[in-house]
Amino acid sequence: MHLAAVTADDLSEIVALINLAYRGRGDDAGWATENKYIEGERTTIGDLQKDLADRPQALFLMWRDESNDKLLGSVWLEPAKQGAWYLGLLNVRPDLQRRQLGRRLLEAAEERARAEGAERIRISVVNVRDQLIAWYQRRGYVLTGERQPFPYGDERFGRPLREDLEFVFLEKPV
Ligand SMILES: CC(C)(COP(=O)(O)OP(=O)(O)OC[C@H]1O[C@@H](n2cnc3c(N)ncnc32)[C@H](O)[C@@H]1OP(=O)(O)O)[C@@H](O)C(=O)NCCC(=O)NCCS
């Protein structure tokens, strides 16, 4: 699988897919949509431009179908503390989910992080996303017990529909 660096020209297409994968509704939604817990957009072009500018060591990677250039998904990788790399924004286009593309993208991202020197991958997930946490656990990730408050009041992450959201962390050696 070839993961290419996301360029400025790709950003609007990437943001549309991230928002659809995370917050899609009705027939457009994938199995792991957050729309029951959080509404609004997951990210914006401006936020991603800022993240890319602020974090020059991060790798923002996209997967396109080599036969027709269709965007299949994307993933963010970033060096974190003590040999860990943070993996975030993993997404696959909802109309192609459940065909093992997600695990292939995850494995390719893990492989890329390992090649960059990662010893383990670190992920944060909203605590109530049991099915997604189970998906990562089936891929070898283990809950670390760490928790981080959900940024209530910061609409960049969308509008939470519950008051008990927080982030939990999972890790896996690579
Ligand atoms: C998470 C995501 C990348 C997975 O992509 P995918 O292409 O569907 O993944 P795969 O086809 O490899 O795996 C599908 C899995 O979903 C499970 N699944 C399918 N429908 C499900 C449902 N309704 N409930 C729970 N699990 C379900 C399948 O059992 C399968 O897991 P298994 O093989 O371990 O049993 C994708 O759902 C996505 O983009 N989600 C939105 C963004 C997101 O939340 N990203 C994670 C951020 S931390």
Side-chain angles (χ1 to χ4, degrees):
M1 179 193 302
H2 176 63
L3 294 183
V6 171
T7 71
D9 289 345
D10 300 306
L11 273 184
S12 71
E13 192 185 7
I14 296 272
V15 165
L17 180 48
I18 290 172
N19 287 326
L20 183 62
Y22 275 83
R23 306 282 160 84
R25 295 192 159 274
D27 291 344
D28 291 339
W31 66 266
T33 182
E34 292 180 312
N35 70 26
K36 291 195 201 81
Y37 327 115
I38 309 169
E39 60 181 19
E41 297 193 331
R42 171 65 181 78
T43 192
T44 64
I45 295 176
D47 285 343
L48 286 177
Q49 283 171 331
K50 184 170 185 317
D51 286 345
L52 285 163
D54 290 349
R55 304 172 189 182
Q57 288 180 292
L59 301 173
F60 192 21
L61 303 171
M62 63 182 173
W63 182 20
R64 288 186 180 275
D65 187 325
E66 283 171 30
S67 66
N68 58 16
D69 212 35
K70 187 175 186 172
L71 180 63
L72 301 176
S74 61
V75 61
W76 179 278
L77 286 172
E78 183 180 352
K81 57 182 183 182
Q82 296 164 353
W85 273 57
Y86 180 77
L87 184 151
L89 288 178
L90 180 79
N91 65 91
V92 165
R93 52 185 315 131
D95 58 342
L96 293 180
Q97 287 183 15
R98 306 183 193 204
R99 299 182 194 188
Q100 310 210 343
L101 299 186
R103 77 195 60 188
R104 289 174 58 200
L105 180 56
L106 179 63
E107 285 165 12
E110 291 168 351
E111 181 60 42
R112 177 62 186 273
R114 181 166 48 222
E116 299 285 339
E119 294 167 12
R120 58 188 203 283
I121 303 290
R122 186 171 162 80
I123 292 173
S124 61
V125 180
V126 175
N127 58 333
V128 295
R129 302 183 73 189
D130 297 336
Q131 295 172 337
L132 183 65
I133 291 170
W135 185 80
Y136 279 120
Q137 288 173 321
R138 292 197 295 277
R139 316 269 92 76
Y141 285 81
V142 174
L143 284 163
T144 66
E146 295 161 88
R147 295 176 172 270
Q148 200 176 78
F150 188 87
Y152 284 96
D154 183 349
E155 295 242 328
R156 280 179 308 163
F157 296 90
R159 290 178 295 283
L161 302 173
R162 304 170 46 147
E163 291 177 2
D164 58 348
L165 301 182
E166 57 184 352
F167 293 106
V168 297
F169 287 81
L170 298 103
E171 288 193 356
K172 173 185 170 178
V174 289

